Amino acid sequence: MATRTKSRQANTFRNPLLEGVRWSEKCSSRLSLIWSILPQYLRNLIISSAVLFFASAIKGDWIIIAVHLLKQLNGASTNKANEAQRIDSVHSILASYNLHGLTYFLIAAVVGSYLIYFSIGGFIHWYFYIKRRDKAHEWKCQPEKFLSPELELHEIIVGASSLLVVSLFSGIIACYAMNSGKGLTIYYRFDEYGWFWFVAQIGVVFVYQDYSTYWIHRIFHWPWLYRNFHKLHHTYKQPTAFSVTASHPVEIIFTQLVMLVPIVTVPVHWAPFYVVVVYAYCQGILGHSGVNFKSFWWQPWQPDTIFHDNHHQYFHVNFGFNIYYWDILHGTYRLKDRVYSEDIFYGMGKGLSEVPAEVLLSDVVERNLENPQAYRNNVHRYKLEHQEYGQFIVNNKIKTN
Ligand SMILES: [Zn+2]
Ligand SMILES: [Zn+2]
C-alpha cells in the first residue's frame, strides 16, 4: 500500500495535467470535513442528485431537456405550430435551417456539460475513489485493482473529447427544437395522444433503446470494429464513473443517434422520453462506477453493477445494459463453466477444456480478484474451486504439449 501511494504521488508530481484534473484529491480533507457534519439523509440525497446531474450531462442532454421544458411552459402544443411563429422573423442562413442562434446553443451545451462533468464527476470520484479508497473491499467490484494514474488521466481525456462531440450534437438538436422542431415527433400537450400512450411510451422507448444498444454494443465487439473503435473503451479493465463517456467518438455519436430514433419516428412526449434517457444514463454511470451497487426490488430487469464490471474485466460477454434478459436470450450471458478473454470473440466464451492451461489458470486468478460482496447474498457466482478446474489444467497441458 505504501509503495502504491508513493508511486501515485511520484506520478502525480511528474504530470502537471494530472494535477489539474485531480482537484478532488487536493480538496479531499476539506470535503471530508464538510461531509462529516452532514446528516445521512442529506448525504444520500447529494450523492443521488450528483448521479442524476452527471447523467444529464454525459451526452449533453440537459440543454435539450431545458428547451423542451421551456416550450412546455410557454404552452407549445406540437413542433409544427412553433415553426409558423419563427419563419417570418428570421432571415439568416442558419435561420433558414431553423438554427437561429446556433453559436450560443453550442457554447452553452459544451460549457454546461464540461462544468457538470468535472465538478459532479469529480465529486463522485472523490466520494468513492479517494475518501473510501482504503476500504475498497467494502464497496469495490475489483477491490485489489485500481486504474493507474496514467489510465485515470487517459479516460478523462478520452471522455472529455467524446463529450465535446456529443454536446455539440445536443446543442444543434436543442437549437433546432427551440427554433422550430419541424419533423420531430415530440409533442407537449400531455393528453395529445391519450393518457394510455403517455404512460405506455415509457416501456416502448426503454425496450427499444436497450435492445438496440445491446446489438450495437455486440456488433462493436466484432473483431474489426472492436480493434478499430470499441477497444478504446475497454482500455479500462477497472472502470470508473468517468469511463462512461470514454468511448471512440464514432461509436458514441452512433449510439446517440440510435437512441434518438423515436423522436423522429413515433409521437413521444418529451418528458417521459427524457425520463427514460436519463434513467439509462444514470444506470450507465452506476454500471461503470466499479462500485458494488445492487438493483432495487422495483427493477427486476436491471442487472447489478457487477454485470457490466464483468464485461470490462472479461471483454466479450454481457453486452446488455439495463435489461439482462437480452444476454440470456442470445446466449451471451456470462456462465461459470466458460472462459472469456479479450482474444475470445462473439460472447460465448470457451469451455474449460477448450483453452490452454495457462489461459485457464489466468482466468482462475482473474475470478479471484472479484469481490463476493458485489453478488447477491455475498456469494461469488463464478468462483472456481480447484476440484472444478484442476483436471482441465492437467488435461489441457497434455493436449497442448
Ligand atoms: Zn464492450
Ligand atoms: Zn463500458
Side-chain angles (χ1 to χ4, degrees):
M1 175 60 82
T3 323
R4 192 167 69 197
T5 313
K6 221 180 241 176
S7 99
R8 281 175 67 80
Q9 281 168 350
N11 283 324
T12 306
F13 180 74
R14 278 204 310 271
N15 194 331
L17 190 52
L18 195 56
E19 287 261 332
V21 295
R22 280 261 187 74
W23 66 268
S24 55
E25 202 158 341
K26 286 182 241 160
C27 301
S28 186
S29 54
R30 225 174 306 158
L31 279 171
S32 292
L33 186 68
I34 298 168
W35 196 253
S36 66
I37 57 172
L38 296 178
Q40 190 57 43
Y41 76 89
L42 203 54
R43 291 181 195 177
N44 293 345
L45 186 69
I46 290 172
I47 197 75
S48 308
S49 311
V51 173
L52 196 67
F53 275 113
F54 197 52
S56 74
I58 60 172
K59 297 216 175 139
D61 289 281
W62 68 271
I63 194 163
I64 308 176
I65 295 170
V67 163
H68 290 312
L69 180 63
L70 208 64
K71 288 179 84 166
Q72 176 88 57
L73 294 175
N74 282 338
S77 172
T78 61
N79 284 303
K80 224 175 166 189
N82 271 19
E83 185 205 16
Q85 293 161 17
R86 296 287 319 167
I87 230 82
D88 295 338
S89 60
V90 288
H91 301 287
S92 68
I93 295 171
L94 279 176
S96 68
Y97 289 103
N98 293 309
L99 291 172
H100 181 71
L102 180 63
T103 316
Y104 300 110
F105 277 90
L106 294 183
I107 293 171
V110 173
V111 171
S113 297
Y114 275 141
L115 277 177
I116 299 172
Y117 180 80
F118 284 107
S119 60
I120 308 283
F123 170 71
I124 296 170
H125 183 74
W126 166 80
Y127 182 73
F128 290 107
Y129 284 84
I130 297 168
K131 186 174 181 293
R132 301 167 70 194
R133 195 178 186 90
D134 294 338
K135 295 175 185 159
H137 278 92
E138 292 175 12
W139 60 268
K140 200 166 180 305
C141 294
Q142 300 175 59
E144 307 288 340
K145 294 211 163 186
F146 286 84
L147 287 184
S148 66
E150 288 76 16
L151 277 181
E152 278 180 14
L153 177 66
H154 185 277
E155 73 169 351
I156 289 170
I157 291 174
V158 174
S161 308
S162 290
L163 184 61
L164 177 68
V165 176
V166 288
S167 293
L168 288 173
F169 186 66
S170 288
I172 294 170
I173 296 175
C175 179
Y176 182 77
M178 190 70 187
N179 277 287
S180 134
K182 186 188 175 192
L184 300 179
T185 51
I186 287 180
Y187 64 92
Y188 296 89
R189 223 182 64 210
F190 295 109
D191 60 351
E192 181 89 21
Y193 291 86
W195 284 103
F196 175 76
W197 175 241
F198 183 81
V199 177
Q201 63 186 279
I202 295 175
V204 173
V205 169
F206 180 60
V207 169
Y208 159 76
Q209 289 185 335
D210 204 64
Y211 194 49
S212 56
T213 47
Y214 165 85
W215 272 108
I216 292 169
H217 187 198
R218 189 169 167 185
I219 289 167
F220 266 105
H221 271 266
W222 288 356
W224 188 85
L225 286 172
Y226 179 76
R227 292 190 185 108
N228 289 283
F229 298 100
H230 192 56
K231 188 176 168 59
L232 183 62
H233 181 61
H234 279 275
T235 310
Y236 323 110
K237 228 177 150 184
Q238 294 81 35
T240 76
F242 281 122
S243 310
V244 72
T245 57
S247 295
H248 194 289
V250 169
E251 181 191 341
I252 205 167
I253 199 88
F254 184 70
T255 313
Q256 190 182 21
L257 281 171
V258 173
M259 293 276 282
L260 293 176
V261 164
I263 67 166
V264 289
T265 51
V266 285
V268 281
H269 190 280
W270 70 274
F273 179 79
Y274 278 101
V275 163
V276 175
V277 169
V278 172
Y279 171 86
Y281 292 160
C282 277
Q283 293 299 333
I285 293 163
L286 300 181
H288 285 91
S289 66
V291 183
N292 61 353
F293 292 113
K294 309 272 184 7
S295 56
F296 294 104
W297 63 267
W298 53 269
Q299 301 170 290
W301 55 83
Q302 188 70 48
D304 299 333
T305 303
I306 190 71
F307 178 81
H308 195 69
D309 202 85
N310 274 183
H311 177 71
H312 277 261
Q313 196 177 359
Y314 298 97
F315 301 90
H316 310 290
V317 67
N318 292 1
F319 298 122
F321 294 98
N322 298 312
I323 301 178
Y324 63 87
Y325 306 125
W326 308 136
D327 281 287
I328 294 174
L329 186 69
H330 296 297
T332 53
Y333 191 82
R334 188 184 174 200
L335 297 173
K336 188 180 177 183
D337 59 353
R338 307 292 288 178
V339 175
Y340 305 89
S341 80
E342 195 169 18
D343 302 317
I344 303 173
F345 285 90
Y346 306 113
M348 315 285 177
K350 282 189 174 174
L352 301 183
S353 62
E354 294 173 320
V355 294
E358 59 271 20
V359 173
L360 181 53
L361 268 177
S362 76
D363 180 64
V364 170
V365 171
E366 201 64 57
R367 292 179 195 226
N368 289 338
L369 291 171
E370 293 178 52
N371 190 348
Q373 291 186 44
Y375 291 95
R376 293 286 158 144
N377 305 317
N378 298 336
V379 177
H380 189 332
R381 289 176 54 187
Y382 300 99
K383 190 175 171 64
L384 279 182
E385 300 301 336
H386 189 266
Q387 64 267 26
E388 294 174 282
Y389 70 87
Q391 54 164 319
F392 296 114
I393 298 285
V394 178
N395 295 345
N396 295 1
K397 252 197 184 129
I398 293 167
K399 214 188 280 176
T400 51
N401 283 342

